[in-house]
Amino acid sequence: MKTLRLAGQLLRGHLRGHLLTVATLLLGLVGIVTVAGASTTMARTIEHQSTLERGHRVTISAYLRAPATPEDVIRLATQLERRMPDRAAVAPVVRTPALVIAEPRQMLEAQVVLTSRDLQTVRRWPVIDGAWLDDTESLVSTGVINRAASVLDVGVGTVIHTDAGEPIVIRGIVDDGSRDPCVYLRLDQHADTAALHTDRESLLTVSHPELEAGTARDVLTGIESIAETTLVDRVERTDTLAELAAELAATTISFIVVGIFSVLSLTVGILNIGLSRSRERAWELSLRRALGMPRSALAWAMVIESQVVAGVAAIAAVAVSVLAHPAMVSAMATLPDTAASSYPADAAVLGLGVGALAAAVGNIAPVARMWRLPMSTIMRL
């Protein structure tokens, strides 16, 4: 109890110095957490955008030659799906040239992609509003737009028209990672329209975590051999997550280096504050020792004092970093729906541990000075 009272007296007697220590700890700990959160957020943002634009592991695209008709694309997709491993998803895709979509208030130039509901299984795009393409019967053709098109006053329930005058009811909005307006329609409902565009691009997209491009190529070659046709131009892997691994690793290492320097700056700052007051505090402790306080009690009081200061700084730092973390994530994320990184609790614990250790080490100098100071010298004060 005496040691605790002594620690309280030491805290009250050096309030300004302790406030400076708390401020140093606060800034250092918030910096460490911010660096860790920024590293995770940037990595997830890059992965998220790559997944939206290029597909998940593993996504393979088989590009078809120009003579391939929409019926060929549908037939190849059906046969390929039957020969793929379990859980493999296959979707036909026919991209037509940019068409002018007539909307009641404006004209919207958008890419039209004819596909099937299976494309959502392959690409797994987030559905922002409404629903993806399905087989629900409708008297009017239905479609789905991407986020880029939705910002142009086109939403769920809006009726748009193609340049041919065909009405289309928008049933959903997805985030496909594209910054260009795009409208997704069912290929089986618009095969005749697609056939009119001779410069269309046709492909099959396949997704399976253990699929290889060679496997899909061999299956398609077998299908072509049986059908005695040559429709497949090339087969290639389109996802880039594996290629991004090295870049993400370099980015992570860079942030780790910055974090290490933040930790070192925090430690040096606390030690500098402690050493600058070591002489003054050593004489104070020596006087208390001369008045009968045991050296061990003085040492423990200094430890308690340092940890109280570190604890106050830790509470403030955690509160500030928790409140600031969402803002930091939203500022760094380049996509609105980027999977936000969770609060880096491990980095916070590391920072708190380093801060507590630095605060304790900062009080070693005056304690050591008091410990070795001869009693005769103290009595002459």
Side-chain angles (χ1 to χ4, degrees), residues 289-333:
R289 177 185 163 196
L291 295 174
M293 182 64 69
R295 287 185 294 187
S296 59
L298 290 170
W300 277 113
M302 291 290 286
V303 171
I304 294 173
E305 176 196 31
S306 67
Q307 296 312 297
V308 169
V309 173
V312 172
I315 294 173
V318 170
V320 171
S321 59
V322 167
L323 293 175
H325 183 69
M328 183 272 297
V329 170
S330 62
M332 292 196 63

Side-chain angles (χ1 to χ4, degrees), residues 340-357:
S341 61
S342 57
Y343 180 77
D346 52 349
V349 172
L350 173 63
L352 296 179
V354 172
L357 180 61

Side-chain angles (χ1 to χ4, degrees), residues 210-260:
E210 300 176 357
L211 186 63
E212 296 183 358
T215 302
R217 186 182 298 109
D218 293 341
V219 172
L220 287 169
T221 300
I223 295 174
E224 287 183 323
S225 177
I226 296 173
E228 297 182 350
T229 59
T230 304
L231 297 176
V232 180
D233 184 18
R234 68 185 188 279
V235 180
E236 60 186 30
R237 181 170 175 175
T238 56
D239 68 279
T240 57
L241 291 177
E243 300 173 7
L244 289 173
E247 299 179 15
L248 294 176
T251 302
T252 301
I253 292 174
S254 301
F255 276 100
I256 290 175
V257 171
V258 174
I260 291 174

Side-chain angles (χ1 to χ4, degrees), residues 39-49 248 338-342:
S39 174
T40 305
T41 301
M42 180 170 290
R44 292 192 178 184
T45 299
I46 294 173
E47 291 179 349
H48 182 68
Q49 184 158 359
L248 294 176
T338 298
S341 61
S342 57

Side-chain angles (χ1 to χ4, degrees), residues 87-158:
R87 297 180 293 109
V90 181
V93 175
V94 177
R95 296 192 181 101
T96 63
L99 299 180
V100 176
I101 304 299
E103 201 271 341
R105 293 180 297 277
Q106 63 180 328
M107 302 296 288
L108 169 64
E109 185 177 357
Q111 180 75 30
V112 175
V113 177
L114 305 175
T115 184
S116 69
R117 62 177 182 176
D118 295 327
L119 184 62
Q120 173 64 12
T121 306
V122 175
R123 301 304 299 271
R124 290 177 275 176
W125 288 324
V127 178
I128 302 172
D129 193 10
W132 176 248
L133 300 173
D134 55 28
D135 295 331
T136 303
E137 295 294 334
S138 175
L139 296 177
V140 181
S141 298
T142 59
V144 172
I145 58 175
N146 64 351
R147 184 192 293 274
S150 69
V151 300
L152 301 175
D153 295 330
V154 180
V156 175
T158 302

Side-chain angles (χ1 to χ4, degrees), residues 256-321:
I256 290 175
V257 171
V258 174
I260 291 174
F261 277 104
S262 298
V263 172
L264 293 177
S265 299
L266 167 63
T267 305
V268 171
I270 298 300
L271 292 178
N272 185 49
I273 294 173
L275 292 174
S276 65
R277 299 184 298 156
S278 63
R279 184 179 180 85
E280 173 190 352
R281 305 219 62 189
W283 284 114
E284 177 189 2
L285 296 176
S286 298
L287 286 174
R288 291 181 181 276
R289 177 185 163 196
L291 295 174
M293 182 64 69
R295 287 185 294 187
S296 59
L298 290 170
W300 277 113
M302 291 290 286
V303 171
I304 294 173
E305 176 196 31
S306 67
Q307 296 312 297
V308 169
V309 173
V312 172
I315 294 173
V318 170
V320 171
S321 59

